[in-house]
Amino acid sequence: MSTAEAGGVFHRARSRTLDAFPAEKEGEWKGPFYFILGADPQFGLMKAWSTGDCDNGGDEWGQEIRLTEQAVQAINKLNPKPRFFVLCGDLIHAMPGVKAVFSGHYHRNAGGTYQNLDMVVSSAIGCQLGLDPHGLRVVVVTADKIVHRYYSLDELSEKGIEDDLMDLIKKK
């Protein structure tokens, strides 16, 4: 899809409303609400900043994990509950031990490798912009490796996860 084509897709979506939810729930204005915005957990930055070496380091995430857990606990105690939670900004500062990054939003399967880091893009459950079927990616993580496979929704419903992936899950 060219940039011009993509712009056309986004332009068509601008003034549309989503009517998939019952009107009494989400389709009509029912008064004020609130949401929570969290930004920049940036796992690894606190240690790197404290040592004065922000270009390296970042291999310890303990402080950020504790603070993120504290944020989730605080949000869960709120009453009334927020309508939704958005997390934006830098999620990580460094990637200790990360072997793969998984994402979506491209509406087709794609990916590549750079300096031993796999980038895996999964196609959509919804609208397909490529030739991939509507589907989901199953990711199995073991102590030694990460194995992933994209399944069509029909395939996953009818056959389930294949035996070789299930065998990996069962290993201790």
Side-chain angles (χ1 to χ4, degrees), residues 42-121:
Q42 203 155 350
F43 291 1
L45 179 59
M46 292 179 80
K47 175 68 185 284
W49 186 268
S50 71
T51 63
D53 187 8
C54 290
D55 292 330
N56 297 299
D59 58 345
E60 293 181 23
W61 294 8
Q63 290 177 283
E64 292 90 343
I65 289 172
R66 283 189 297 282
L67 290 167
T68 302
E69 289 172 342
Q70 182 181 352
V72 170
Q73 290 167 2
I75 293 166
N76 284 338
K77 289 180 181 178
L78 295 173
N79 189 12
K81 298 289 184 207
R83 181 71 58 94
F84 55 89
F85 175 72
V86 176
L87 182 62
C88 61
D90 296 316
L91 301 181
I92 58 175
H93 182 68
M95 299 182 285
V98 173
K99 298 177 183 177
V101 175
F102 293 87
S103 72
H105 201 63
Y106 189 52
H107 292 260
R108 65 193 83 181
N109 288 310
T113 301
Y114 177 73
Q115 295 184 352
N116 296 321
L117 179 68
D118 287 332
M119 178 70 220
V120 181
V121 182

Side-chain angles (χ1 to χ4, degrees), residues 3 11 14 24 31 35 45 50 53 60 67 85 88 94 102 110 122 135 137 145 164 171:
T3 305
H11 177 71
R14 265 196 198 132
E24 65 274 5
F35 67 92
L45 179 59
S50 71
D53 187 8
E60 293 181 23
L67 290 167
F85 175 72
C88 61
F102 293 87
S122 287
R137 184 170 303 277
K145 59 185 172 181
D164 63 324
K171 289 182 181 177

Side-chain angles (χ1 to χ4, degrees), residues 144-163:
D144 302 321
K145 59 185 172 181
I146 298 172
V147 180
H148 57 89
R149 192 162 302 142
Y150 188 82
Y151 289 91
S152 73
L153 295 177
D154 290 337
E155 181 181 19
L156 195 57
S157 295
E158 294 168 12
K159 299 177 184 175
I161 298 171
E162 292 170 291
D163 290 340

